[in-house]
Amino acid sequence: MKTIGLKVFVTMTAIAVVFLLALSAQAQNASETLYKAKCATCHGADGTGSAMGTKMGAHDLSTALVQGMSDTELTDIITNGKGKMPKYGASLKPEDIKGLVAHIRTFKK
Ligand code: HEC
């Protein structure tokens, strides 16, 4: 009886861990999909910048110049725009923008 209880506990814990991992992977995927749909045209799938984006003045998002900016600064640029960078404050939810900032952090070399 005791061992069955332990097995159930271990199984439940394993299920919970897998579930949580899947959830965070899903959030990361959603941000990646959003980035590819809305941002990659100018910033490139890997953040280094498309030919068009670079011409418009976008900086390589993987460099220290951009990675050195705080989350608040990045959030502000995405929300309110900057130069030729369009603003997304009206079309995206704050959680989406937060996810995009996290996705930009994955470009860091
Ligand atoms: C139409 C092209 C275009 C699109 C689409 C675009 N950006 Fe930009 N982005 C720019 C340009 C140009 C700049 C540089 C602005 C400046 O410094 O004058 C920029 C700047 C930035 C910066 C600050 C770093 C830098 O290069 O100065 C971040 C962060 C950023 N964009 C994120 C995003 C995200 C996230 C999205 C998608 C939601 C997005 N951008 C969509 C053109 C674009």
Side-chain angles (χ1 to χ4, degrees):
M1 212 45 197
K2 228 178 172 182
T3 26
I4 291 173
L6 186 66
K7 271 184 190 160
V8 168
F9 176 75
V10 168
T11 311
M12 295 306 268
T13 310
I15 290 170
V17 167
V18 168
F19 182 71
L20 285 176
L21 283 177
L23 265 187
S24 78
Q26 207 175 38
Q28 183 59 46
N29 268 342
S31 302
E32 189 177 346
T33 307
L34 188 63
Y35 176 87
K36 284 191 177 142
K38 302 252 180 202
C39 324
T41 8
C42 292
H43 291 286
D46 61 354
T48 53
S50 65
M52 185 176 85
T54 307
K55 221 172 169 182
M56 289 169 87
H59 305 107
D60 184 337
L61 300 180
S62 68
T63 58
L65 177 81
V66 178
Q67 293 297 331
M69 293 182 192
S70 68
D71 284 4
T72 312
E73 284 173 288
L74 294 177
T75 304
D76 184 60
I77 292 171
I78 300 167
T79 307
N80 303 312
K82 186 186 170 198
K84 292 205 172 82
M85 161 78 192
K87 58 170 181 281
Y88 288 91
S91 56
L92 295 178
K93 293 199 262 331
E95 311 90 88
D96 293 337
I97 295 175
K98 201 175 159 199
L100 287 170
V101 170
H103 188 62
I104 289 171
R105 294 296 181 206
T106 67
F107 297 146
K108 190 175 179 178
K109 279 179 190 141

